[in-house]
CSV table of all heavy atoms in Angstrom, one decimal:
chain,number,residue,atom,x,y,z
A,1,ALA,N,-0.1,58.7,67.5
A,1,ALA,CA,-1.5,58.9,67.0
A,1,ALA,C,-1.7,58.4,65.6
A,1,ALA,O,-2.8,58.1,65.3
A,1,ALA,CB,-1.8,60.4,67.2
A,2,ALA,N,-0.7,58.2,64.9
A,2,ALA,CA,-0.9,57.8,63.5
A,2,ALA,C,-1.4,56.3,63.5
A,2,ALA,O,-2.0,56.0,62.5
A,2,ALA,CB,0.4,57.9,62.7
A,3,GLY,N,-1.1,55.5,64.4
A,3,GLY,CA,-1.6,54.1,64.6
A,3,GLY,C,-3.1,54.1,65.2
A,3,GLY,O,-3.6,53.0,65.1
A,4,GLY,N,-3.7,55.1,65.5
A,4,GLY,CA,-5.0,55.0,66.0
A,4,GLY,C,-5.0,54.9,67.5
A,4,GLY,O,-6.1,54.9,68.1
A,5,LYS,N,-3.8,54.8,68.2
A,5,LYS,CA,-3.8,54.7,69.6
A,5,LYS,C,-2.9,55.7,70.3
A,5,LYS,O,-1.9,55.9,69.6
A,5,LYS,CB,-3.3,53.2,70.0
A,5,LYS,CG,-4.3,52.1,69.5
A,5,LYS,CD,-3.8,50.7,69.9
A,5,LYS,CE,-4.8,49.7,69.5
A,5,LYS,NZ,-4.4,48.4,70.0
A,6,LEU,N,-3.4,56.2,71.4
A,6,LEU,CA,-2.6,57.3,72.0
A,6,LEU,C,-2.6,57.0,73.6
A,6,LEU,O,-3.7,56.8,74.1
A,6,LEU,CB,-3.2,58.6,71.7
A,6,LEU,CG,-2.6,59.8,72.1
A,6,LEU,CD1,-1.3,60.0,71.4
A,6,LEU,CD2,-3.4,61.0,71.8
A,7,LEU,N,-1.4,57.0,74.1
A,7,LEU,CA,-1.3,56.9,75.5
A,7,LEU,C,-0.9,58.2,76.1
A,7,LEU,O,0.1,58.8,75.6
A,7,LEU,CB,-0.1,55.8,76.0
A,7,LEU,CG,0.2,55.6,77.4
A,7,LEU,CD1,-1.1,55.1,78.2
A,7,LEU,CD2,1.3,54.8,77.6
A,8,VAL,N,-1.6,58.7,77.1
A,8,VAL,CA,-1.3,60.0,77.5
A,8,VAL,C,-1.1,60.0,79.1
A,8,VAL,O,-1.8,59.5,79.8
A,8,VAL,CB,-2.7,61.0,77.3
A,8,VAL,CG1,-2.4,62.3,77.9
A,8,VAL,CG2,-2.9,61.0,75.8
A,9,VAL,N,0.0,60.8,79.5
A,9,VAL,CA,0.4,60.8,80.9
A,9,VAL,C,0.3,62.3,81.2
A,9,VAL,O,1.4,62.9,81.2
A,9,VAL,CB,1.7,60.1,81.3
A,9,VAL,CG1,1.9,60.2,82.8
A,9,VAL,CG2,1.6,58.7,80.7
A,10,PRO,N,-0.9,62.9,81.6
A,10,PRO,CA,-1.0,64.3,81.8
A,10,PRO,C,-0.4,64.9,83.0
A,10,PRO,O,-0.2,64.1,84.0
A,10,PRO,CB,-2.3,64.6,81.7
A,10,PRO,CG,-3.0,63.4,82.2
A,10,PRO,CD,-2.1,62.2,81.8
A,11,VAL,N,-0.2,66.1,83.0
A,11,VAL,CA,0.1,66.9,84.4
A,11,VAL,C,-1.1,67.7,84.7
A,11,VAL,O,-1.7,68.3,83.9
A,11,VAL,CB,1.2,67.9,84.1
A,11,VAL,CG1,1.7,68.7,85.3
A,11,VAL,CG2,2.6,67.0,83.6
A,12,ASP,N,-1.5,67.6,86.0
A,12,ASP,CA,-2.6,68.3,86.4
A,12,ASP,C,-2.6,69.8,86.2
A,12,ASP,O,-1.4,70.4,86.3
A,12,ASP,CB,-2.9,68.1,87.9
A,12,ASP,CG,-4.4,67.9,88.2
A,12,ASP,OD1,-5.2,68.5,87.4
A,12,ASP,OD2,-4.7,67.4,89.2
A,13,GLY,N,-3.6,70.6,85.9
A,13,GLY,CA,-3.6,72.0,85.9
A,13,GLY,C,-3.9,72.4,84.4
A,13,GLY,O,-4.6,71.6,83.7
A,14,SER,N,-3.5,73.6,84.0
A,14,SER,CA,-4.0,74.1,82.7
A,14,SER,C,-3.5,73.3,81.5
A,14,SER,O,-4.2,73.3,80.5
A,14,SER,CB,-3.4,75.6,82.6
A,14,SER,OG,-2.0,75.6,82.6
A,15,HIS,N,-2.4,72.6,81.6
A,15,HIS,CA,-2.0,71.8,80.5
A,15,HIS,C,-3.1,70.7,80.2
A,15,HIS,O,-3.3,70.4,79.1
A,15,HIS,CB,-0.6,71.1,80.9
A,15,HIS,CG,0.5,72.1,80.8
A,15,HIS,ND1,0.9,72.6,82.0
A,15,HIS,CD2,1.2,72.5,79.9
A,15,HIS,CE1,2.0,73.5,81.7
A,15,HIS,NE2,2.1,73.3,80.3
A,16,TRP,N,-3.5,70.1,81.2
A,16,TRP,CA,-4.6,69.2,81.1
A,16,TRP,C,-5.9,69.7,80.5
A,16,TRP,O,-6.5,69.1,79.7
A,16,TRP,CB,-5.0,68.4,82.4
A,16,TRP,CG,-6.1,67.5,82.3
A,16,TRP,CD1,-7.3,67.8,83.0
A,16,TRP,CD2,-6.2,66.3,81.5
A,16,TRP,NE1,-8.2,66.7,82.6
A,16,TRP,CE2,-7.6,65.9,81.7
A,16,TRP,CE3,-5.5,65.6,80.6
A,16,TRP,CZ2,-8.1,64.8,81.0
A,16,TRP,CZ3,-5.9,64.5,80.0
A,16,TRP,CH2,-7.2,64.1,80.3
A,17,LEU,N,-6.3,70.8,81.0
A,17,LEU,CA,-7.5,71.5,80.5
A,17,LEU,C,-7.4,71.7,78.9
A,17,LEU,O,-8.4,71.5,78.3
A,17,LEU,CB,-7.9,72.8,81.2
A,17,LEU,CG,-8.1,72.7,82.7
A,17,LEU,CD1,-8.2,74.0,83.3
A,17,LEU,CD2,-9.1,71.7,82.9
A,18,SER,N,-6.3,72.2,78.5
A,18,SER,CA,-6.1,72.3,77.1
A,18,SER,C,-6.0,71.0,76.3
A,18,SER,O,-6.6,70.7,75.2
A,18,SER,CB,-4.8,73.1,76.7
A,18,SER,OG,-5.0,74.3,77.3
A,19,MET,N,-5.3,70.1,76.9
A,19,MET,CA,-5.0,68.7,76.3
A,19,MET,C,-6.3,67.9,76.2
A,19,MET,O,-6.6,67.1,75.1
A,19,MET,CB,-4.0,67.9,77.1
A,19,MET,CG,-3.7,66.6,76.5
A,19,MET,SD,-2.6,65.6,77.5
A,19,MET,CE,-1.2,66.6,77.5
A,20,ARG,N,-7.3,68.1,77.1
A,20,ARG,CA,-8.4,67.3,77.1
A,20,ARG,C,-9.3,67.7,75.9
A,20,ARG,O,-9.9,66.7,75.3
A,20,ARG,CB,-9.3,67.7,78.4
A,20,ARG,CG,-10.5,66.9,78.6
A,20,ARG,CD,-11.2,67.2,79.9
A,20,ARG,NE,-11.5,68.7,79.9
A,20,ARG,CZ,-11.8,69.3,81.0
A,20,ARG,NH1,-12.0,68.7,82.1
A,20,ARG,NH2,-12.1,70.5,80.9
A,21,GLU,N,-9.4,68.9,75.4
A,21,GLU,CA,-10.0,69.3,74.2
A,21,GLU,C,-9.4,68.5,72.9
A,21,GLU,O,-10.2,68.1,72.1
A,21,GLU,CB,-10.1,70.7,74.0
A,21,GLU,CG,-10.8,71.5,75.1
A,21,GLU,CD,-12.3,71.1,75.3
A,21,GLU,OE1,-12.9,70.8,74.2
A,21,GLU,OE2,-12.7,70.8,76.4
A,22,VAL,N,-8.1,68.4,72.8
A,22,VAL,CA,-7.5,67.7,71.8
A,22,VAL,C,-7.7,66.3,71.9
A,22,VAL,O,-8.1,65.7,70.8
A,22,VAL,CB,-5.9,68.1,71.9
A,22,VAL,CG1,-5.2,67.2,70.8
A,22,VAL,CG2,-5.6,69.4,71.7
A,23,LEU,N,-7.8,65.7,73.0
A,23,LEU,CA,-8.1,64.3,73.2
A,23,LEU,C,-9.5,64.0,72.7
A,23,LEU,O,-9.8,63.0,72.0
A,23,LEU,CB,-7.8,63.8,74.5
A,23,LEU,CG,-6.4,63.8,75.1
A,23,LEU,CD1,-6.3,63.5,76.5
A,23,LEU,CD2,-5.5,63.1,74.1
A,24,ASN,N,-10.5,64.8,73.0
A,24,ASN,CA,-11.8,64.7,72.6
A,24,ASN,C,-11.9,64.7,71.1
A,24,ASN,O,-12.6,64.0,70.6
A,24,ASN,CB,-12.6,65.8,73.3
A,24,ASN,CG,-12.9,65.6,74.8
A,24,ASN,OD1,-12.8,64.5,75.2
A,24,ASN,ND2,-13.2,66.6,75.5
A,25,GLY,N,-11.1,65.6,70.5
A,25,GLY,CA,-11.2,65.7,69.1
A,25,GLY,C,-10.6,64.4,68.4
A,25,GLY,O,-11.1,63.9,67.4
A,26,LEU,N,-9.5,63.9,68.9
A,26,LEU,CA,-8.8,62.7,68.5
A,26,LEU,C,-9.9,61.5,68.6
A,26,LEU,O,-10.0,60.6,67.8
A,26,LEU,CB,-7.5,62.4,69.1
A,26,LEU,CG,-6.5,63.3,68.7
A,26,LEU,CD1,-5.3,63.0,69.7
A,26,LEU,CD2,-6.0,63.1,67.3
A,27,ARG,N,-10.6,61.4,69.7
A,27,ARG,CA,-11.5,60.4,70.0
A,27,ARG,C,-12.6,60.4,69.0
A,27,ARG,O,-13.1,59.4,68.4
A,27,ARG,CB,-12.1,60.5,71.3
A,27,ARG,CG,-13.1,59.5,71.9
A,27,ARG,CD,-12.6,58.1,72.0
A,27,ARG,NE,-13.5,57.2,72.4
A,27,ARG,CZ,-13.9,56.1,71.9
A,27,ARG,NH1,-13.1,55.6,70.9
A,27,ARG,NH2,-14.7,55.4,72.3
A,28,GLN,N,-13.1,61.6,68.6
A,28,GLN,CA,-14.3,61.8,67.6
A,28,GLN,C,-13.7,61.4,66.3
A,28,GLN,O,-14.6,60.9,65.5
A,28,GLN,CB,-14.7,63.2,67.6
A,28,GLN,CG,-15.4,63.6,68.8
A,28,GLN,CD,-15.8,65.0,68.9
A,28,GLN,OE1,-15.4,65.8,67.8
A,28,GLN,NE2,-16.5,65.5,69.9
A,29,LYS,N,-12.4,61.3,66.0
A,29,LYS,CA,-11.9,60.9,64.7
A,29,LYS,C,-11.6,59.4,64.7
A,29,LYS,O,-11.0,58.9,63.8
A,29,LYS,CB,-10.7,61.7,64.4
A,29,LYS,CG,-10.9,63.1,64.1
A,29,LYS,CD,-9.8,63.8,63.7
A,29,LYS,CE,-10.2,65.3,63.4
A,29,LYS,NZ,-8.9,66.0,63.0
A,30,GLY,N,-11.9,58.7,65.9
A,30,GLY,CA,-11.8,57.3,65.9
A,30,GLY,C,-10.5,56.8,66.6
A,30,GLY,O,-10.2,55.5,66.7
A,31,HIS,N,-9.7,57.6,67.2
A,31,HIS,CA,-8.5,57.1,67.8
A,31,HIS,C,-8.9,56.6,69.2
A,31,HIS,O,-9.8,57.0,69.9
A,31,HIS,CB,-7.6,58.3,68.2
A,31,HIS,CG,-6.9,58.9,66.8
A,31,HIS,ND1,-5.8,58.4,66.4
A,31,HIS,CD2,-7.4,59.9,66.1
A,31,HIS,CE1,-5.6,59.0,65.3
A,31,HIS,NE2,-6.5,59.9,65.0
A,32,GLU,N,-8.1,55.6,69.7
A,32,GLU,CA,-8.3,55.2,70.9
A,32,GLU,C,-7.4,55.8,72.0
A,32,GLU,O,-6.1,55.7,71.8
A,32,GLU,CB,-8.0,53.6,71.0
A,32,GLU,CG,-8.1,52.8,72.3
A,32,GLU,CD,-7.7,51.4,72.4
A,32,GLU,OE1,-7.6,50.8,71.2
A,32,GLU,OE2,-7.3,50.8,73.4
A,33,VAL,N,-7.9,56.4,73.0
A,33,VAL,CA,-7.2,57.2,73.9
A,33,VAL,C,-7.2,56.5,75.2
A,33,VAL,O,-8.1,56.3,75.8
A,33,VAL,CB,-7.6,58.6,73.9
A,33,VAL,CG1,-6.9,59.4,75.0
A,33,VAL,CG2,-7.6,59.3,72.6
A,34,VAL,N,-5.9,56.3,75.9
A,34,VAL,CA,-5.9,55.9,77.3
A,34,VAL,C,-5.0,56.8,78.0
A,34,VAL,O,-3.9,57.3,77.6
A,34,VAL,CB,-5.1,54.5,77.2
A,34,VAL,CG1,-4.8,54.1,78.8
A,34,VAL,CG2,-5.8,53.4,76.5
A,35,VAL,N,-5.6,57.3,79.2
A,35,VAL,CA,-5.0,58.3,80.0
A,35,VAL,C,-4.5,57.6,81.3
A,35,VAL,O,-5.3,57.1,82.0
A,35,VAL,CB,-6.1,59.5,80.3
A,35,VAL,CG1,-5.3,60.5,81.3
A,35,VAL,CG2,-6.4,60.2,79.0
A,36,VAL,N,-3.3,57.8,81.7
A,36,VAL,CA,-2.7,57.3,82.9
A,36,VAL,C,-2.6,58.6,83.9
A,36,VAL,O,-1.8,59.4,83.5
A,36,VAL,CB,-1.4,56.6,82.7
A,36,VAL,CG1,-0.8,56.0,84.0
A,36,VAL,CG2,-1.5,55.5,81.6
A,37,ALA,N,-3.3,58.5,85.0
A,37,ALA,CA,-3.3,59.6,85.9
A,37,ALA,C,-3.4,59.2,87.4
A,37,ALA,O,-3.8,58.0,87.7
A,37,ALA,CB,-4.5,60.5,85.6
A,38,PRO,N,-3.0,60.0,88.3
A,38,PRO,CA,-3.1,59.7,89.7
A,38,PRO,C,-4.6,59.7,90.1
A,38,PRO,O,-5.3,60.3,89.5
A,38,PRO,CB,-2.3,60.9,90.4
A,38,PRO,CG,-2.4,62.0,89.4
A,38,PRO,CD,-2.4,61.4,88.1
A,39,GLU,N,-4.8,58.8,91.1
A,39,GLU,CA,-6.2,58.7,91.6
A,39,GLU,C,-6.7,59.9,92.2
A,39,GLU,O,-7.9,60.2,92.4
A,39,GLU,CB,-6.4,57.5,92.6
A,39,GLU,CG,-5.5,57.5,93.8
A,39,GLU,CD,-5.6,56.2,94.6
A,39,GLU,OE1,-6.3,55.4,94.2
A,39,GLU,OE2,-4.9,56.3,95.6
A,40,ILE,N,-5.8,60.9,92.7
A,40,ILE,CA,-6.1,62.1,93.3
A,40,ILE,C,-5.5,63.2,92.5
A,40,ILE,O,-4.4,63.2,92.3
A,40,ILE,CB,-5.7,62.2,94.7
A,40,ILE,CG1,-6.0,61.0,95.7
A,40,ILE,CG2,-6.0,63.5,95.4
A,40,ILE,CD1,-7.6,60.9,95.9
A,41,SER,N,-6.4,64.1,91.9
A,41,SER,CA,-6.0,65.1,91.2
A,41,SER,C,-7.0,66.3,91.2
A,41,SER,O,-8.1,66.1,91.6
A,41,SER,CB,-5.7,64.8,89.8
A,41,SER,OG,-6.8,64.5,89.1
A,42,LEU,N,-6.5,67.5,90.7
A,42,LEU,CA,-7.5,68.7,90.7
A,42,LEU,C,-8.5,68.6,89.6
A,42,LEU,O,-9.6,68.8,89.7
A,42,LEU,CB,-6.7,70.0,90.7
A,42,LEU,CG,-5.8,70.3,91.9
A,42,LEU,CD1,-5.0,71.5,91.6
A,42,LEU,CD2,-6.7,70.5,93.1
A,43,TYR,N,-8.0,68.3,88.4
A,43,TYR,CA,-8.7,68.4,87.2
A,43,TYR,C,-8.9,67.2,86.4
A,43,TYR,O,-9.8,67.1,85.5
A,43,TYR,CB,-8.2,69.5,86.3
A,43,TYR,CG,-8.1,70.8,86.8
A,43,TYR,CD1,-7.0,71.5,87.2
A,43,TYR,CD2,-9.3,71.5,87.1
A,43,TYR,CE1,-6.9,72.6,87.8
A,43,TYR,CE2,-9.2,72.8,87.8
A,43,TYR,CZ,-8.0,73.4,88.0
A,43,TYR,OH,-8.0,74.5,88.7
A,44,ILE,N,-8.0,66.2,86.5
A,44,ILE,CA,-8.0,65.0,85.7
A,44,ILE,C,-9.1,63.9,86.3
A,44,ILE,O,-8.8,63.4,87.3
A,44,ILE,CB,-6.6,64.3,85.7
A,44,ILE,CG1,-5.6,65.3,85.2
A,44,ILE,CG2,-6.6,63.1,84.7
A,44,ILE,CD1,-4.2,64.8,85.3
A,45,LYS,N,-10.1,63.9,85.6
A,45,LYS,CA,-11.2,63.1,86.1
A,45,LYS,C,-11.7,62.2,84.9
A,45,LYS,O,-11.5,62.5,83.7
A,45,LYS,CB,-12.5,64.0,86.5
A,45,LYS,CG,-12.2,65.0,87.5
A,45,LYS,CD,-11.7,64.4,88.8
A,45,LYS,CE,-11.5,65.5,89.9
A,45,LYS,NZ,-10.6,65.0,90.9
A,46,PRO,N,-12.2,61.0,85.4
A,46,PRO,CA,-12.6,60.0,84.3
A,46,PRO,C,-13.8,60.6,83.4
A,46,PRO,O,-14.6,61.4,84.0
A,46,PRO,CB,-13.1,58.8,85.0
A,46,PRO,CG,-12.5,58.9,86.3
A,46,PRO,CD,-12.3,60.3,86.7
A,47,THR,N,-13.8,60.3,82.2
A,47,THR,CA,-14.9,60.7,81.3
A,47,THR,C,-15.2,59.5,80.3
A,47,THR,O,-14.4,58.5,80.3
A,47,THR,CB,-14.6,61.9,80.4
A,47,THR,OG1,-13.8,61.5,79.3
A,47,THR,CG2,-14.2,63.1,81.2
A,48,LYS,N,-16.3,59.5,79.7
A,48,LYS,CA,-16.7,58.5,78.7
A,48,LYS,C,-15.9,58.6,77.4
A,48,LYS,O,-15.9,57.7,76.6
A,48,LYS,CB,-18.1,58.5,78.4
A,48,LYS,CG,-18.5,59.8,77.8
A,48,LYS,CD,-20.1,59.9,77.5
A,48,LYS,CE,-20.4,61.2,77.0
A,48,LYS,NZ,-21.3,61.2,76.0
A,49,ASN,N,-15.0,59.6,77.2
A,49,ASN,CA,-14.4,59.9,76.0
A,49,ASN,C,-13.1,59.1,75.8
A,49,ASN,O,-12.6,59.0,74.8
A,49,ASN,CB,-14.1,61.3,75.8
A,49,ASN,CG,-15.3,62.1,75.5
A,49,ASN,OD1,-16.3,61.5,74.9
A,49,ASN,ND2,-15.4,63.4,75.9
A,50,PHE,N,-12.6,58.6,77.0
A,50,PHE,CA,-11.3,57.8,76.9
A,50,PHE,C,-11.2,57.0,78.1
A,50,PHE,O,-11.9,57.1,79.2
A,50,PHE,CB,-10.0,58.8,76.8
A,50,PHE,CG,-10.2,60.1,77.5
A,50,PHE,CD1,-9.9,60.2,78.8
A,50,PHE,CD2,-10.5,61.3,76.9
A,50,PHE,CE1,-10.0,61.3,79.5
A,50,PHE,CE2,-10.5,62.5,77.7
A,50,PHE,CZ,-10.3,62.5,78.9
A,51,VAL,N,-10.4,56.0,78.0
A,51,VAL,CA,-10.1,55.0,79.1
A,51,VAL,C,-9.1,55.6,80.0
A,51,VAL,O,-8.2,56.2,79.7
A,51,VAL,CB,-9.5,53.7,78.5
A,51,VAL,CG1,-9.1,52.7,79.7
A,51,VAL,CG2,-10.4,53.0,77.4
A,52,MET,N,-9.5,55.5,81.4
A,52,MET,CA,-8.7,56.0,82.4
A,52,MET,C,-8.0,54.9,83.2
A,52,MET,O,-8.7,54.0,83.6
A,52,MET,CB,-9.5,56.9,83.4
A,52,MET,CG,-10.0,58.2,82.9
A,52,MET,SD,-8.8,59.4,82.7
A,52,MET,CE,-8.2,59.8,84.3
A,53,LYS,N,-6.7,55.0,83.3
A,53,LYS,CA,-6.0,54.0,84.3
A,53,LYS,C,-5.5,54.9,85.4
A,53,LYS,O,-4.6,55.8,85.1
A,53,LYS,CB,-4.8,53.4,83.4
A,53,LYS,CG,-5.2,52.6,82.2
A,53,LYS,CD,-6.0,51.4,82.6
A,53,LYS,CE,-6.3,50.6,81.4
A,53,LYS,NZ,-7.1,49.4,81.7
A,54,MET,N,-5.9,54.6,86.5
A,54,MET,CA,-5.4,55.3,87.8
A,54,MET,C,-4.4,54.7,88.6
A,54,MET,O,-4.5,53.4,88.7
A,54,MET,CB,-6.7,55.6,88.6
A,54,MET,CG,-7.9,56.1,87.8
A,54,MET,SD,-7.7,57.8,87.1
A,54,MET,CE,-8.2,58.7,88.5
A,55,TYR,N,-3.6,55.3,89.1
A,55,TYR,CA,-2.4,54.8,90.0
A,55,TYR,C,-2.6,55.5,91.4
A,55,TYR,O,-2.9,56.7,91.5
A,55,TYR,CB,-1.2,54.9,89.3
A,55,TYR,CG,-0.6,56.3,89.1
A,55,TYR,CD1,0.1,57.1,90.1
A,55,TYR,CD2,-0.7,56.8,87.7
A,55,TYR,CE1,0.5,58.3,89.8
A,55,TYR,CE2,-0.3,58.1,87.5
A,55,TYR,CZ,0.4,58.9,88.6
A,55,TYR,OH,0.9,60.2,88.3
A,56,PRO,N,-2.2,54.8,92.5
A,56,PRO,CA,-2.4,55.3,93.8
A,56,PRO,C,-1.3,56.3,94.1
A,56,PRO,O,-0.2,56.3,93.5
A,56,PRO,CB,-2.1,54.1,94.7
A,56,PRO,CG,-1.5,53.1,93.8
A,56,PRO,CD,-1.8,53.4,92.5
A,57,VAL,N,-1.7,57.2,94.9
A,57,VAL,CA,-0.7,58.2,95.4
A,57,VAL,C,-0.7,58.3,96.9
A,57,VAL,O,-1.7,57.8,97.6
A,57,VAL,CB,-1.1,59.7,94.9
A,57,VAL,CG1,-0.9,59.7,93.4
A,57,VAL,CG2,-2.5,60.1,95.2
A,58,PRO,N,0.4,58.8,97.7
A,58,PRO,CA,0.4,58.7,99.2
A,58,PRO,C,-0.2,59.9,99.8
A,58,PRO,O,0.2,60.2,100.9
A,58,PRO,CB,1.9,58.7,99.3
A,58,PRO,CG,2.4,59.6,98.2
A,58,PRO,CD,1.6,59.2,97.1
A,59,PHE,N,-1.3,60.3,99.2
A,59,PHE,CA,-2.1,61.4,99.9
A,59,PHE,C,-3.6,61.4,99.6
A,59,PHE,O,-3.9,60.7,98.6
A,59,PHE,CB,-1.6,62.9,99.7
A,59,PHE,CG,-1.4,63.0,98.2
A,59,PHE,CD1,-2.5,63.6,97.5
A,59,PHE,CD2,-0.2,62.9,97.5
A,59,PHE,CE1,-2.3,63.8,96.1
A,59,PHE,CE2,-0.1,63.1,96.2
A,59,PHE,CZ,-1.1,63.6,95.4
A,60,THR,N,-4.4,62.0,100.4
A,60,THR,CA,-5.8,61.8,100.2
A,60,THR,C,-6.4,63.2,99.5
A,60,THR,O,-5.6,64.2,99.5
A,60,THR,CB,-6.6,61.8,101.6
A,60,THR,OG1,-6.4,63.0,102.3
A,60,THR,CG2,-6.2,60.6,102.4
A,61,GLN,N,-7.5,63.1,99.0
A,61,GLN,CA,-8.1,64.4,98.3
A,61,GLN,C,-8.3,65.5,99.3
A,61,GLN,O,-7.9,66.7,99.0
A,61,GLN,CB,-9.5,64.0,97.8
A,61,GLN,CG,-10.1,65.1,97.1
A,61,GLN,CD,-9.4,65.4,95.7
A,61,GLN,OE1,-9.3,64.5,95.0
A,61,GLN,NE2,-9.3,66.6,95.4
A,62,GLU,N,-8.6,65.2,100.6
A,62,GLU,CA,-8.7,66.2,101.6
A,62,GLU,C,-7.3,66.9,101.9
A,62,GLU,O,-7.3,68.1,102.0
A,62,GLU,CB,-9.2,65.7,103.0
A,62,GLU,CG,-10.6,65.1,102.9
A,62,GLU,CD,-10.9,63.8,102.3
A,62,GLU,OE1,-9.8,63.0,102.1
A,62,GLU,OE2,-11.9,63.5,101.6
A,63,GLU,N,-6.2,66.1,101.9
A,63,GLU,CA,-4.9,66.7,102.1
A,63,GLU,C,-4.5,67.6,100.9
A,63,GLU,O,-4.0,68.7,101.2
A,63,GLU,CB,-3.8,65.6,102.3
A,63,GLU,CG,-4.0,64.8,103.6
A,63,GLU,CD,-3.2,63.6,103.6
A,63,GLU,OE1,-2.9,62.9,102.5
A,63,GLU,OE2,-2.6,63.2,104.7
A,64,MET,N,-4.9,67.2,99.8
A,64,MET,CA,-4.6,68.0,98.5
A,64,MET,C,-5.4,69.3,98.6
A,64,MET,O,-4.9,70.4,98.3
A,64,MET,CB,-4.8,67.3,97.3
A,64,MET,CG,-4.2,68.0,96.1
A,64,MET,SD,-4.1,67.1,94.7
A,64,MET,CE,-5.7,67.3,94.0
A,65,ASP,N,-6.7,69.1,99.0
A,65,ASP,CA,-7.5,70.3,99.0
A,65,ASP,C,-7.0,71.3,100.1
A,65,ASP,O,-7.0,72.6,99.8
A,65,ASP,CB,-9.0,69.9,99.4
A,65,ASP,CG,-9.7,69.2,98.2
A,65,ASP,OD1,-9.1,69.2,97.1
A,65,ASP,OD2,-10.7,68.5,98.5
A,66,HIS,N,-6.5,70.8,101.2
A,66,HIS,CA,-6.0,71.6,102.2
A,66,HIS,C,-4.7,72.5,101.8
A,66,HIS,O,-4.6,73.6,102.1
A,66,HIS,CB,-5.7,70.8,103.5
A,66,HIS,CG,-5.1,71.6,104.7
A,66,HIS,ND1,-5.9,72.5,105.4
A,66,HIS,CD2,-3.8,71.6,105.1
A,66,HIS,CE1,-5.1,73.0,106.3
A,66,HIS,NE2,-3.8,72.6,106.1
A,67,ILE,N,-3.9,71.9,101.0
A,67,ILE,CA,-2.8,72.4,100.6
A,67,ILE,C,-2.9,73.5,99.6
A,67,ILE,O,-2.4,74.6,99.6
A,67,ILE,CB,-1.8,71.4,99.9
A,67,ILE,CG1,-1.2,70.4,100.9
A,67,ILE,CG2,-0.6,72.1,99.1
A,67,ILE,CD1,-0.4,69.3,100.4
A,68,PHE,N,-4.0,73.4,98.7
A,68,PHE,CA,-4.4,74.4,97.8
A,68,PHE,C,-5.3,75.4,98.5
A,68,PHE,O,-5.5,76.4,97.9
A,68,PHE,CB,-5.0,73.7,96.5
A,68,PHE,CG,-3.8,73.2,95.6
A,68,PHE,CD1,-3.5,71.8,95.7
A,68,PHE,CD2,-3.1,74.0,94.8
A,68,PHE,CE1,-2.6,71.3,95.0
A,68,PHE,CE2,-2.2,73.4,94.0
A,68,PHE,CZ,-1.9,72.1,94.1
C-alpha cells in the first residue's frame, strides 16, 4: 500500500465485509485497489471504488444458494 497500489484476494464472508471498509478508505486517499475474486460469491460484488478481476468457478450462483 505504500506504493499507492494494492492487490487484494479476499475470502467471502465477514472478513470481506470488514476489509471493504478499509479498501474504501484507501481508495479515498488515492490508492489504486484491484480485487481478485471468484465470479460467484456471497458478498464480494463489483463497486465503483475499486477494480474487480473475476475468475471462473465450477459452480453456479443457484448451486451456492442451495448449499447455504
Side-chain angles (χ1 to χ4, degrees):
K5 296 183 179 186
L6 187 64
L7 176 65
V8 180
V9 183
V11 175
D12 215 345
S14 64
H15 291 94
W16 170 248
L17 298 175
S18 300
M19 182 186 295
R20 187 175 57 193
E21 295 302 318
V22 172
L23 297 178
N24 288 336
L26 288 170
R27 176 73 174 128
Q28 290 175 358
K29 292 181 180 183
H31 293 272
E32 180 183 340
V33 179
V34 176
V35 176
V36 178
E39 63 186 358
I40 306 296
S41 68
L42 293 173
Y43 301 111
I44 304 170
K45 305 295 181 206
T47 73
K48 60 181 175 143
N49 293 331
F50 35 81
V51 175
M52 292 288 295
K53 301 290 184 181
M54 310 297 270
Y55 59 88
V57 292
F59 52 86
T60 66
Q61 184 70 48
E62 292 80 21
E63 290 171 325
M64 190 166 89
D65 291 343
H66 178 72
I67 291 170
F68 283 97

